[in-house]
Amino acid sequence: MKLPEALVNFFGLGGIETLTSTHPLTLASFRSIAGIEAVVSPIFPAILVCEIVFLAWAYHRSPHRLYAVYKIPVLMYAFNWIIGLLINVDVFLWTQRHFTALAPFTAPLHVVWFFYAYVVWELSHFVYHWTCHKVRLLWVLHSPHHAPKHMNLGVIFAAFFLQGTYANFVRTAICSILGVPMELLILCMVIDACWGSLIHFSEEAWPSGRSGCFLDSLLLMPSDHRVHHSSNPEYIDTNYCNALPIWDKLFGTLRREIPAIRPRYGLSRPQKPNDFTDTYFGEIGLLWRDVRNADTWKKRALLVVMPPGWGSTDH
């Protein structure tokens, strides 16, 4: 992939480019799933640029502070992009095709069934997200997303390259088994990606992280996701859903921000400031050290599958 093509994809313009290359653009072009994606995809990059401009103004145009805020997420994005050019691991279509065969029924393409599909999608996201926090091997993949010390839209890019593969497998498998068809699944994914971007909004640009209306109780807002990202003992392992808190309420993991306790971002272990290697590979190194030093094979196996912190002094 050439750099101009990568920039087109990053700014979400690939969908519009594809639509214009196949036939003239009309209103009907945007009524399809591809058309909806083409319209929605550029929204996040545009908001990200606006956030960067705002933070540059808020920090009195200090390049050093802005660099410190976005350095790790940008490096992770670039690193994962390079890995993606060498190793293409995409399980979405394979998982959807094979697990759909196990579904007892298939939801029809109707607005009522869309709500069913989205509740199922949130369940699949809850399962994926909960296991990432409760299984240490999976935490290795997820921990880079929690490592940044500043909350902003760039944090979305902070991830180990295999995390998306695991997320796609779990979420697609659960949705397919429970009868969510491809069209509704893609629509849920598009909406989830938009909301997942919004809830990472920086505190400087949206201090309260709340809407001030009924949506605060109906949805998970940026303030709720800040709670999820914090390393405060009061907040750890909460708010696993992305938009609808239904499964967090059901399983007792919903936690609203406490006014007197401001979220403190980053991992609970000591981190090297703005260090890409420690952020991306640090948890892998700690897991390998603990497994290597374990005195029995049983303990080695448990270290891999038990929650982060089990049998270790570094979490």
Side-chain angles (χ1 to χ4, degrees):
M1 182 185 296
K2 298 179 181 179
L3 184 58
E5 184 181 351
L7 290 174
V8 167
N9 290 336
F10 175 80
F11 285 102
L13 302 176
I16 294 179
E17 189 177 61
T18 301
L19 286 178
T20 55
S21 65
T22 53
H23 50 71
L25 287 182
T26 62
L27 183 60
S29 303
F30 298 102
R31 292 175 181 169
S32 64
I33 294 295
I36 293 173
E37 286 186 279
V39 172
V40 171
S41 296
I43 294 177
F44 166 69
I47 296 176
L48 175 60
V49 170
C50 291
E51 183 189 60
I52 293 174
V53 172
F54 178 85
L55 289 182
W57 172 82
Y59 290 159
H60 305 290
R61 299 175 176 82
S62 170
H64 176 74
R65 294 189 67 184
L66 201 62
Y67 171 77
V69 166
Y70 287 98
K71 172 189 172 183
I72 296 300
V74 169
L75 285 177
M76 286 195 194
Y77 177 82
F79 186 78
N80 290 338
W81 177 69
I82 293 172
I83 291 180
L85 295 178
L86 302 174
I87 305 173
N88 184 16
V89 183
D90 190 352
V91 301
F92 174 75
L93 292 176
W94 182 92
T95 305
Q96 199 276 337
R97 182 170 62 251
H98 285 79
F99 282 84
T100 296
L102 304 176
F105 73 99
T106 300
L109 300 181
H110 190 276
V111 64
V112 174
W113 284 98
F114 163 74
F115 292 107
Y116 165 80
Y118 207 86
V119 169
V120 171
W121 169 263
E122 280 289 5
L123 172 63
S124 70
H125 184 83
F126 180 93
V127 172
Y128 142 72
H129 209 172
W130 183 87
T131 54
C132 280
H133 281 256
K134 295 300 182 181
V135 177
R136 191 172 176 187
L137 182 61
L138 299 177
W139 172 247
V140 164
L141 308 182
H142 189 60
S143 63
H145 185 62
H146 282 260
K149 296 282 191 176
H150 182 276
M151 177 63 73
N152 57 74
L153 293 176
V155 173
I156 297 170
F157 302 132
F160 196 82
F161 80 99
L162 285 175
Q163 178 187 257
T165 301
Y166 174 68
N168 275 339
F169 175 77
V170 173
R171 294 186 297 197
T172 305
I174 291 175
C175 288
S176 299
I177 289 175
L178 295 181
V180 177
M182 174 72 85
E183 295 83 356
L184 291 181
L185 177 56
I186 293 177
L187 184 57
C188 289
M189 293 173 70
V190 170
I191 295 172
D192 180 82
C194 293
W195 194 258
S197 302
L198 177 69
I199 58 179
H200 289 87
F201 227 88
S202 67
E203 291 178 308
E204 291 85 354
W206 191 347
S208 70
R210 306 196 72 77
S211 67
C213 66
F214 71 95
L215 291 176
D216 290 335
S217 57
L218 181 64
L219 301 172
L220 285 171
M221 303 298 290
S223 63
D224 302 310
H225 201 64
R226 292 167 189 170
V227 165
H228 172 75
H229 268 265
S230 71
S231 57
N232 306 59
E234 298 87 354
Y235 293 152
I236 286 180
D237 292 342
T238 58
N239 299 350
Y240 293 113
C241 291
N242 213 35
L244 301 177
I246 177 172
W247 301 108
D248 281 312
K249 287 182 178 180
L250 184 63
F251 293 109
T253 53
L254 180 64
R255 182 70 51 83
R256 304 294 186 180
E257 185 176 352
I258 303 170
I261 304 177
R262 184 176 179 177
R264 182 177 62 252
Y265 305 117
L267 303 176
S268 57
R269 66 169 175 84
Q271 293 177 246
K272 297 178 182 179
N274 266 340
D275 186 280
F276 172 79
T277 303
D278 180 59
T279 300
Y280 202 88
F281 299 105
E283 291 296 317
I284 297 176
L286 291 174
L287 175 57
W288 171 248
R289 185 206 62 186
D290 289 342
V291 169
R292 184 185 58 195
N293 293 337
D295 50 7
T296 65
W297 284 104
K298 178 181 178 180
K299 186 174 182 180
R300 291 188 179 101
L302 290 174
L303 280 166
V304 172
V305 300
M306 292 295 283
W310 186 91
S312 175
T313 60
D314 293 300
H315 294 75

